[in-house]
Amino acid sequence: MRFRVLVRLKRGILDVQGAAVQRSLAGLGFGDVRELRIGKLVEVDVDEATPAAARARVDEMCRRLLANPILEDYTIEEIEGERLAAREPVR
Amino acid sequence: MRFGVVVFPGTWSDCDFHYVISEVLHQPVKYVWHRDRELADFDCLVLPGGFSYGDYLRAGAVAGRSPVVEALPAFVAGGGVVLGSCNGFQILCEAGLLPGALMRNECLQYRCQSTHLLVENAETVFTRATRPGQVLAMPISHGEGKYHVDAETLAALRRRNQIVFRYCTPEGQVTRAANPNGSLDNIAGVVNEEGTVLGLMPHPERAAESALGGTDGLVIFHSLLGSLVEDGSFLKR
């Protein structure tokens, strides 16, 4: 079963990368951007008997490694009928 | 005192620490590979700076779950002490051995410069040779050193005197301008509740010989050496 984990900085924590990218966009004429925040995307394929068990495993992965609970929140969504990103290098 | 310097893939300050401990302080020291769990031979373990595992995912995240780090709680419970500098501080926070987390510098720049540190707690095994309010000069070299904790934890750190070093001016004033990375409350180094694990972003090993611009980093080692009593245990505070 495949899952997509989104890891985001918690609300209220200053995202300096996002602020820099927002300024850069403003320089390109996108001054209408009100807010921009950068997070991480983790795609994971787990071998479990049931979707509930698989999701519980991914949740445990998030708590123990994928997200830092002091700084970050995460969401987990199941991806159906979709391949994970290609592993072959892009030429 | 028997020192161990932990080496992860991507560690860079291991040789500097090894050199200072063996050639400047003339103490026995061995490298410890990140897969080792056997730590009984050591009194003090050093987690040096660098980019363990390429800083993948988050700085210190992967190293914080490595076999040697998983063995640290037992090592500390058995009377050992741990010093983490730079990436070592990030690893100790990621592993939950120290409170808080280190984020990207507020200025977004990698900062490699001299800093001044105000000694806030001179009663740890790492700072016994200092006095409160003393100013130490040590360099920093990092891109992710902005210390963060929630308000509740910050209050607890202050109450328990766990904040050991804060960035300051050469005169000892804790100002915004003296803060190189945006750390909360200018925090540069903290200890655990027991005072047996210290993490700091600056590099004491790079301030250990006058030929390299200063020797203030040695005071941490001298404090440790002065804290070890004959039976092999450390004086507590």
Side-chain angles (χ1 to χ4, degrees):
Chain A
M1 271 147 276
R2 301 188 182 96
F3 294 88
R4 179 177 291 143
V5 178
L6 289 173
V7 182
R8 297 178 172 91
L9 280 178
K10 285 182 175 174
R11 283 274 148 201
I13 289 189
L14 177 67
D15 177 11
V16 286
Q17 275 191 93
V21 171
Q22 186 176 345
R23 283 195 296 276
S24 180
L25 281 173
L28 292 173
F30 297 101
D32 47 341
V33 175
R34 281 209 190 119
E35 193 185 10
L36 187 154
R37 290 175 75 78
I38 293 177
K40 292 190 188 108
L41 167 68
V42 183
E43 290 178 327
V44 54
D45 191 346
V46 284
D47 186 12
E48 287 289 335
T50 67
R55 182 177 281 270
R57 290 293 281 172
V58 175
D59 191 69
E60 190 185 348
M61 292 173 204
C62 290
R63 283 185 278 113
R64 293 185 57 190
L65 177 60
L66 300 182
N68 180 331
I70 296 170
L71 304 174
E72 297 167 328
D73 291 323
Y74 59 88
T75 56
I76 301 167
E77 53 178 301
E78 195 173 342
I79 327 171
E80 283 181 42
E82 210 181 305
R83 299 289 304 176
L84 295 188
R87 287 200 179 270
E88 294 76 34
V90 177
R91 290 180 198 283
Chain B
M1 179 178 290
R2 302 164 301 167
F3 285 90
V5 176
V6 181
V7 184
F8 301 91
T11 298
W12 76 13
S13 256
D14 45 340
C15 298
D16 292 9
F17 268 108
H18 194 283
Y19 169 80
V20 169
I21 294 164
S22 63
E23 303 302 317
V24 180
L25 297 162
H26 307 291
Q27 297 294 314
V29 55
K30 285 183 201 165
Y31 289 114
V32 181
W33 188 231
H34 65 114
R35 293 195 186 282
D36 292 348
R37 290 177 188 271
E38 183 47 63
L39 305 175
D41 286 348
F42 304 104
D43 302 307
C44 175
L45 282 178
V46 177
L47 271 61
F51 293 84
S52 56
Y53 299 91
D55 271 0
Y56 292 167
L57 193 63
R58 295 177 306 276
V62 180
R65 281 81 179 166
S66 60
V68 70
V69 173
E70 285 180 348
L72 286 183
F75 173 73
V76 173
V81 299
V82 179
L83 167 65
S85 158
C86 194
N87 191 220
F89 186 15
Q90 295 164 338
I91 292 167
L92 291 171
C93 287
E94 277 286 343
L97 287 158
L98 288 174
L102 293 144
M103 308 175 61
R104 189 168 293 246
N105 292 349
E106 203 157 277
C107 59
L108 280 173
Q109 294 162 326
Y110 188 98
R111 283 291 175 93
C112 185
Q113 65 179 68
S114 184
T115 60
H116 292 89
L117 307 175
L118 185 70
V119 177
E120 292 280 348
N121 181 350
E123 294 180 3
T124 72
V125 294
F126 306 95
T127 51
R128 296 172 64 87
T130 65
R131 53 188 159 70
Q134 188 173 347
V135 177
L136 304 174
M138 282 184 224
I140 56 162
S141 179
H142 62 249
E144 299 188 34
K146 179 188 172 183
Y147 187 73
H148 176 84
V149 281
D150 60 37
E152 197 179 319
T153 311
L154 178 64
L157 290 180
R158 285 180 179 147
R159 200 168 55 242
R160 299 191 200 111
N161 218 7
Q162 286 178 254
I163 300 166
V164 178
F165 299 118
R166 293 167 79 202
Y167 299 108
C168 66
T169 65
E171 296 76 34
Q173 301 298 311
V174 177
T175 64
R176 197 177 162 83
N179 185 342
N181 52 27
S183 280
L184 183 69
D185 214 26
N186 282 44
I187 292 172
V190 297
V191 282
N192 62 346
E193 279 187 53
E194 296 75 24
T196 48
V197 178
L198 169 71
L200 77 169
M201 284 314 293
H203 286 267
E205 81 284 10
R206 296 186 192 178
E209 283 187 304
S210 50
L212 293 178
T215 57
D216 284 0
L218 285 180
V219 77
I220 292 179
F221 295 98
H222 288 147
S223 298
L224 284 167
L225 293 173
S227 301
L228 191 71
V229 292
E230 266 181 39
D231 67 354
S233 64
F234 284 90
L235 295 170
K236 299 290 182 205
R237 311 220 165 189

